[in-house]
Amino acid sequence: MKHYSFFPGCSQLSSAREYGVSAVEVAEALELHLEPLKDWNCCGASSAHMTNHFLSVSLPGRDLALAKEKDRDLVVICASCYNNLRSAQNQILTDSTLAGRVKHIVGKDIRFEGKIVTLLDLIMEEVGLEELRRRVKQPLEGLKPVSYYGCLMSRPRGMMDNDDPDNPTFMDDLLSTIGAEVKPWSYKADCCGGSLSLTRTDIVVTLVNRLFRAAEEAGANCIVTACPMCLANLEMRQGEGKFAFPQEYDLPVFFFTELLGLALGLEKAEEWFSRHLIDPRPLLARSGLSRSIE
Amino acid sequence: MISKLDPGLEREIEDRSGQKARLCYQCGKCSTGCLFNFAMDILPHKAIKLVQYGQKERLLASETIWLCAACETCTARCPNDIDVARVIDSLREIALEEGIKTADKNIPLFHKCFIGNIQATGRISEPILMGSYKTLSGDLFSDIGLAVEMLRKGKIKLIPSVVKSHRELRRIFKETKK
C-alpha cells in the first residue's frame, strides 16, 4: 500500500459526494491509500483568482502548508482544486517575494515541494494499464462513453506534464482498458460553462446542450468526467428550468472513478449511482452491469 | 468607441499578472477557440489589443471580462505564451478595486457570495452559497425545480462542513482584503 495526502474539495462533501467516496475506495482497491489533509480549506475555486490574486494564492497556500507537514505527494480529484493548488504551488516556488508574503499570512511553511497529481495521473503512473486490466472483474461491455476531462484538469496554466491539453487521452485509455467501447469526439476538453451556472444559466445551457448533441452524434450512451463542476452542469443544465426540471437527453454522466469501481467489482458501487440526477441505473441494467432492476 | 488613453495599463497588467500583452500579434487563436465568444462584447484577441492601446475604461466596462469562465483554452493555445485568462483575471481585479460600474451585476455578486461563504465557514456549502446569491440577486425562483431534485437525490448537504482553525482563516481574509 502506498500512502498519499488527499485534498477532497468542497463539492465532494455534498453535490458530488459519490465522486469523493468512489475515488477513495477505488484508490484503496488499487493499493493507493488517500489520507485527507486535516482541516483543509476551500482552494478559492474560480471566484478567488477572478477577483483577488493574493487571496487566490493564500487560500491554497494554507492547504499546501498542511501538505508540507505530512510530506507526502498530494492527490486531488477536482479539476478546479487541482488547477488552483498547482498554480499556487508554482507561484510560491518561483516567486520568492510572493511566497514571503503568503508565508507571513498563513503563519506556516508553505513551500510544499511534493508532487500534486490527479487521481487519473496517479493510476496511470503507479498502477498502469496492464495491471489495471489484470484486476478487472467485470468488463464494462455495453458502455459506449465519450471522455469529458474537464478543462482545468487537462490544461493547468503552462504546467501540463503528461497529457495533451487539447486532445488528452488518459481517460480514453483507462476506460478502454476496463472494457468500455470509448467513442472518439472532439469536445473532450471543451468548457461546460463552469461557474457561470447560476449567473448566466443561458450560456451554460447552450454549451451543455452542444455537448450532449455531440456525444449522441458520436454514438455514445454515456459521458464520463473527472470534474465535479462538469458533472453538475451536465446533469443540471439541459434546460433553464424554474418549477420543472427539464431533461431532454437521457445520457447518464459518470465520474470515471464510479466506472472503475464497477469494473473492479467493488460492492459499494451500486450506492453511488442512486445519487445522479440523470439516473444511470437503467443503462447499467440494460448492459448487464447492475443488479438493480430498471 | 475610443476611450481615454491610459498609457500605464499594459504595465499595470504586467505587474499584476506577469503577462506581456505587447507580445500579441493578433493571430486570433484565443478568440476562435473561446467557448464564450458568442456572448462576448469584446473578443479576447481584441481585449489584448485594447490592453496594448491603453483602453482601460472600455475594457473595465466590458461584459467580456465577466463572461470569461477561465477555462484557459486561450492560454493553452497562445503561440506567444500569453496567459490570456490571467490577463482577464487582472482586468476583473482592477475593475473591482476601482469600483467601476460593471457591465454585469450578477457575476461579481456571485463571486462576492462565494468568497463570503469561504470566509464564514472555510469551505463552500451549497445552501449558504445558493441562499445568499439567490437572495441578493433577487433571482429567487429560477432554480426551484432543480433545488427540489437535488434535495431528493441527497445532493445538498444541509449542515455546512466547517474549518476549525477560524483564526488562521480570519487572518488570511484580513491580510488579503483590498
Side-chain angles (χ1 to χ4, degrees), chain A residues 17-178:
Chain A
R17 204 171 68 214
E18 65 274 24
Y19 191 25
V21 173
S22 59
V24 170
E25 286 176 10
V26 161
E28 196 76 16
L30 296 171
E31 286 157 59
L32 308 165
H33 181 72
L34 306 182
E35 183 70 35
L37 289 177
K38 211 171 158 223
D39 211 32
W40 58 274
N41 58 263
C42 172
C43 69
S46 308
S47 295
H49 73 73
M50 285 181 178
T51 58
N52 183 339
H53 173 244
F54 199 19
L55 181 66
S56 78
V57 185
S58 300
L59 282 172
R62 181 174 171 276
D63 294 313
L64 293 173
L66 300 175
K68 168 106 186 162
E69 284 168 19
K70 288 287 169 196
D71 199 24
R72 284 186 178 134
D73 289 346
L74 179 64
V75 178
V76 188
I77 54 173
C78 165
S80 175
C81 303
Y82 171 67
N83 194 301
N84 283 331
L85 287 162
R86 287 237 13 215
S87 167
Q89 182 192 39
N90 193 35
Q91 292 180 65
I92 286 166
L93 294 180
T94 56
D95 181 343
S96 54
T97 317
L98 179 68
R101 288 175 71 194
V102 175
K103 186 186 171 196
H104 170 70
I105 293 174
V106 175
K108 290 178 179 160
D109 189 359
I110 50 169
R111 290 183 60 87
F112 172 65
E113 290 177 78
K115 271 172 77 177
I116 300 176
V117 288
T118 66
L119 184 58
L120 191 60
D121 284 347
L122 187 73
I123 292 173
M124 292 299 267
E125 280 168 28
E126 292 298 325
V127 183
L129 295 177
E130 275 316 303
E131 173 63 16
L132 194 61
R133 185 174 289 122
R134 236 176 32 76
R135 288 171 179 255
V136 170
K137 291 215 172 70
Q138 176 175 236
L140 302 186
E141 280 156 18
L143 288 194
K144 298 173 189 167
V146 281
S147 304
Y148 186 56
Y149 287 75
C151 37
L152 295 177
M153 184 164 282
S154 57
R155 44 174 172 266
R157 304 173 189 238
M159 297 175 297
M160 193 64 203
D161 32 29
N162 290 314
D163 219 337
D164 180 335
D166 263 330
N167 184 24
T169 56
F170 276 14
M171 205 192 301
D172 302 63
D173 298 343
L174 184 134
L175 293 171
S176 303
T177 301
I178 59 174

Side-chain angles (χ1 to χ4, degrees), chain A residues 6 12 16-29 34 77 119 123 254-262 264 266 268-269 272-273 276:
Chain A
F6 176 51
Q12 282 61 251
R17 204 171 68 214
E18 65 274 24
Y19 191 25
V21 173
S22 59
V24 170
E25 286 176 10
V26 161
E28 196 76 16
L34 306 182
I77 54 173
L119 184 58
I123 292 173
F254 294 100
F255 289 113
F256 78 99
T257 47
E258 294 179 289
L259 292 187
L260 257 178
L262 190 64
L264 295 171
L266 300 192
K268 289 189 183 151
W272 310 329
F273 302 124
H276 286 261

Side-chain angles (χ1 to χ4, degrees), chain A residues 227-285:
Chain A
C227 171
M229 190 76 225
C230 294
L231 186 127
N233 278 340
L234 284 166
E235 286 201 331
M236 293 178 348
R237 295 304 187 196
Q238 290 192 24
E240 288 210 44
K242 264 222 171 34
F243 298 101
F245 180 64
Q247 276 188 351
E248 201 183 316
Y249 295 92
D250 184 25
L251 217 60
V253 189
F254 294 100
F255 289 113
F256 78 99
T257 47
E258 294 179 289
L259 292 187
L260 257 178
L262 190 64
L264 295 171
L266 300 192
E267 287 286 321
K268 289 189 183 151
E270 307 273 330
E271 290 170 21
W272 310 329
F273 302 124
S274 63
R275 294 174 45 84
H276 286 261
L277 295 183
I278 304 171
D279 194 343
R281 289 170 297 181
L283 169 69
L284 296 175

